[in-house]
Amino acid sequence: MLKHSLWNARTAGVFALALSAASFLSTGLANAGETLDKIKERGLIKVGVGTTPGFFSPDGDGKWQGFFVDFGRALSITVFNTPDKVEFTNSSPQQRLPALQAGEYDILLSGVTQTINRAFKLGFHFGPVVFYDGQGLLVRKDLGVTKGADLDGATIGVQSGTTGELNIADFFRKSGKTFTPITIEETAEFVKALDTGRVDALTQDATDLAGKRTQLKNPDDYVLLPERLSKEPLAPAVRAGDDQWLEIVNWTVYATIQAEEFGISSANVDQFLESKDPAIQRFLGTDPSLGEAIGLDPKFAYTIIKTVGNYGEIFQRHVGKGTPLNFDRGLNALWTNGGLLYSPPFR
């Protein structure tokens, strides 16, 4: 009897959850959250970005290009079915989170590190990690150093408003070495400090330092040490409290990762429209049931891949081997290839 009662209670609980989920999903985008309502009203998505070539920078015509920029365009496709209804604005590390909280942006795609303090204390939520980074050190070659501990007594530039300030202090405290921090707010002054010899080294996310190295007068005179001082998972940041907007961000990113895992690219996506695999049919919207159930255009993933490409294409186009930044995939490879990128199922 007791067993029967427990079974009924569990069944009822599961059924209630299923009904709740079905109710949420059936509303789709008709009952949009506050952020999506504002986006639809203004007709574009406001995105905060940085100024590191390869990740986010305007080209000669003033059009923003880069790794993070492409995720902004993918988000525009999910919401508006076009990559062009998005406005990118440069925001400094010091200004970006307060500006997001104040509503100046709908999302930050500016290389923000996901941290527990930013989630609980500052009130931000994060989408999937789009780039696994780590804090590095950029030094003059003539110093002859090969690791951070060799910089005992050095003067090191660190940009204010970043996690790098605490990380470098922790690193030297743990190693029993000393250094003199020079905190610099303006990005141009940050680069100039190394160029003029004001500091012996710069510390920041390795991706950022790789871009800044290209801005030095003689880039070949400097080297980015292979050592990483921290974990820096860079993820889209949104204001906490708008679950639907967060889910739109989540599944936009996952679409690029899942496409690469399926082997679907911008070049062959049309061939996959003939696939008999039900998982691919749901993903690309040839079976429209999934898209209709969640309130998104059933072909949103198809349009993202056709227009922007899968994750691997985005990575290679802007920061991969052969680009000025010349990054290996490393941790940013698919889980099937030894990396950390993984998409939940599209079902």
Side-chain angles (χ1 to χ4, degrees), residues 314-337:
I314 296 170
F315 186 98
Q316 179 54 41
R317 182 162 60 239
H318 297 295
V319 301
K321 303 301 285 185
T323 69
L325 297 185
N326 205 37
F327 282 116
D328 290 321
R329 285 291 293 270
L331 297 178
N332 296 296
L334 295 177
W335 68 287
T336 49
N337 294 326

Side-chain angles (χ1 to χ4, degrees), residues 207-226:
T207 51
D208 188 65
L209 292 176
K212 285 182 168 53
R213 179 174 175 270
T214 67
Q215 300 170 25
L216 294 163
K217 289 180 182 177
N218 299 300
D220 290 342
D221 291 345
Y222 303 87
V223 62
L224 179 60
L225 299 183

Side-chain angles (χ1 to χ4, degrees), residues 91-98 108 110-113 115 117-118 122 135 158-167 182-186 190 203-205 232:
S91 186
S92 72
Q94 301 78 25
Q95 298 166 339
R96 56 189 178 180
L97 288 172
L108 283 180
S110 58
V112 182
T113 300
T115 70
N117 191 53
R118 285 169 174 168
L122 301 181
Q135 186 167 336
V158 57
Q159 198 152 20
S160 60
T162 69
T163 53
E165 290 183 84
L166 295 176
N167 290 337
I182 303 294
T183 304
I184 303 168
E185 181 169 342
E186 295 296 328
F190 186 65
T203 189
Q204 182 59 280
D205 290 354
E232 302 293 338

Side-chain angles (χ1 to χ4, degrees), residues 138-190:
L138 182 64
V139 303
R140 294 200 316 272
K141 285 183 178 177
D142 59 14
L143 289 179
V145 302
T146 58
K147 59 183 183 300
D150 295 339
L151 289 168
D152 190 19
T155 301
I156 300 178
V158 57
Q159 198 152 20
S160 60
T162 69
T163 53
E165 290 183 84
L166 295 176
N167 290 337
I168 191 67
D170 285 349
F171 173 78
F172 277 92
R173 188 179 300 117
K174 284 192 298 184
S175 62
K177 309 290 184 181
T178 62
F179 79 109
T180 301
I182 303 294
T183 304
I184 303 168
E185 181 169 342
E186 295 296 328
T187 298
E189 290 300 316
F190 186 65

Side-chain angles (χ1 to χ4, degrees), residues 44 75 122 164 198 209 243 286 304 307:
L44 60 81
L75 194 55
L122 301 181
R198 181 184 173 195
L209 292 176
D243 293 347
T286 52
I304 287 173
T307 307

Side-chain angles (χ1 to χ4, degrees), residues 199-271:
V199 299
D200 299 309
L202 297 178
T203 189
Q204 182 59 280
D205 290 354
T207 51
D208 188 65
L209 292 176
K212 285 182 168 53
R213 179 174 175 270
T214 67
Q215 300 170 25
L216 294 163
K217 289 180 182 177
N218 299 300
D220 290 342
D221 291 345
Y222 303 87
V223 62
L224 179 60
L225 299 183
E227 184 179 18
R228 297 292 176 265
L229 312 184
S230 67
K231 294 187 294 184
E232 302 293 338
L234 308 182
V238 299
R239 288 180 295 277
D242 193 334
D243 293 347
Q244 189 180 45
W245 177 234
L246 178 62
E247 290 300 333
I248 290 172
V249 172
N250 288 342
W251 291 96
T252 296
V253 174
Y254 289 141
T256 68
I257 297 171
Q258 182 63 68
E260 186 179 10
E261 186 175 335
F262 277 141
I264 303 174
S265 69
S266 58
N268 66 18
V269 63
D270 286 328
Q271 299 172 28

